[in-house]
Amino acid sequence: MSTTSDPLVALGALPGVADSVDSVRKAVDRVYGHRIMRRRSNEITSEAALRGARGSAALSGAEWALEEVRRRSDFSGDGEARTVGGALRLTAEAGQLLSIWRQSPLRVLARLHLVAAADSVEAAGRPWLAGEPVEEPLIELPLPDADEVAGRLEGLSRLISAGSSAPALVTAAVVHGELLSLRPFASHNGLVARAAERIVLVGSGLDPKSICPAEAGHAELGRAAYVAALDGYASGTPDGMAAWIAHCGKAVELGVRESTAVCEALQRGAA
């Protein structure tokens, strides 16, 4: 990331980023203006959480049908079941951590990992140490060494705590991309990175009711596109960074489309 006083603002000025920000803002405003939101927003939030969890799990290799996620109550079985369970726990936990995020982002990240991993890894809730294995099979970027991970995590924490006038989409995309590039935990980094993106989008006020599941949008765009866009972020080039932000923006818009469809279905049922 840039070393300027507010690198997020600089990223927001990259070619094409303003268009992505504007498109996301308009899409979010449209779904918040839907007539069904005035009476049944809690139902939309609950459904968005479910769809977001399903999408995040799919990107981590557990591609379950939505109805299977809705039906199941026991997620203690195989690896896929535990991944889906972790994603569901994170969507519930993220809302409880909004007030802490700006003051102590590293504490929030540790909590997210603890919730995602549960008892499945010994290093749950702390960054990995030199020599410890890191499992994130779908991300093939070179893994930074432990010192670089620690330094960049601290830099990200300072950036978040300092606040920024950059658009929420830009901040969310950087948090997501940085965490997935660093993979600071021994496992479940994708789930944690996407939960952190959700926290930024909700806490910033862009999506205060958490009805725009970007995770569902990322899954719809596909793992190949996700990995390719992340490669652009990791390159650190202006074009690569702008492409990653645009990719995250498209994911939010697809999440909006999911919730708009839920609104329309509820409206038809109420007619």
Side-chain angles (χ1 to χ4, degrees):
M1 290 186 295
S2 168
T3 57
T4 62
S5 58
D6 194 341
L8 297 175
V9 170
L11 290 175
L14 290 174
V17 171
D19 290 339
S20 294
V21 168
D22 185 57
S23 183
V24 166
R25 177 76 268 175
K26 288 177 179 177
V28 172
D29 285 348
R30 282 195 298 273
V31 71
Y32 269 86
H34 196 287
R35 58 186 293 183
I36 208 74
M37 281 292 295
R38 291 194 296 270
R39 294 180 288 113
R40 304 179 71 175
S41 64
N42 288 342
E43 292 173 71
I44 310 302
T45 296
S46 295
E47 186 65 18
L50 188 72
R51 294 177 183 226
R54 175 192 174 273
S56 191
L59 287 168
S60 287
E63 296 192 54
W64 286 18
L66 181 62
E67 289 310 312
E68 177 67 6
V69 179
R70 197 190 306 279
R71 179 186 68 81
R72 288 280 289 268
S73 58
D74 181 8
F75 298 94
S76 61
D78 61 16
E80 286 196 5
R82 290 194 296 273
T83 296
V84 175
L88 287 166
R89 290 192 299 273
L90 283 177
T91 59
E93 187 73 12
Q96 309 302 313
L97 298 171
L98 291 169
S99 63
I100 309 170
W101 174 249
R102 277 285 299 276
Q103 288 72 38
S104 188
L106 296 183
R107 178 182 165 197
V108 169
L109 294 175
R111 176 61 185 170
L112 290 174
H113 185 251
L114 189 64
V115 168
D119 298 324
S120 64
V121 294
E122 184 178 340
R126 66 162 175 82
W128 54 268
L129 305 175
E132 291 183 328
V134 177
E135 181 184 354
E136 196 67 45
L138 300 179
I139 305 300
E140 298 181 354
L141 290 170
L143 187 69
D145 63 35
D147 288 341
E148 181 179 350
V149 170
R152 286 173 61 179
L153 269 181
E154 184 60 36
L156 182 64
S157 176
R158 288 196 300 268
L159 197 63
I160 294 164
S161 297
S164 174
S165 59
L169 173 64
V170 174
T171 303
V174 167
V175 168
H176 184 170
E178 192 73 354
L179 291 174
L180 206 51
S181 298
L182 292 178
R183 285 148 290 165
F185 301 105
S187 65
H188 301 85
N189 289 287
L191 295 181
V192 169
R194 292 183 288 274
E197 179 185 52
R198 171 183 286 268
I199 286 173
V200 174
L201 293 171
V202 174
S204 67
L206 177 65
D207 179 23
K209 294 183 182 293
S210 195
I211 62 167
C212 307
E215 307 98 318
H218 283 299
E220 185 173 341
L221 290 167
R223 277 183 277 176
Y226 186 65
V227 169
L230 179 65
D231 286 347
Y233 175 86
S235 74
T237 65
D239 286 348
M241 300 286 276
W244 170 250
I245 295 168
H247 184 88
C248 291
K250 184 62 175 176
V252 175
E253 291 187 63
L254 289 171
V256 167
R257 190 174 71 180
E258 289 265 331
S259 288
T260 300
V262 173
C263 287
E264 295 294 334
L266 290 174
Q267 184 167 281
R268 287 193 298 273

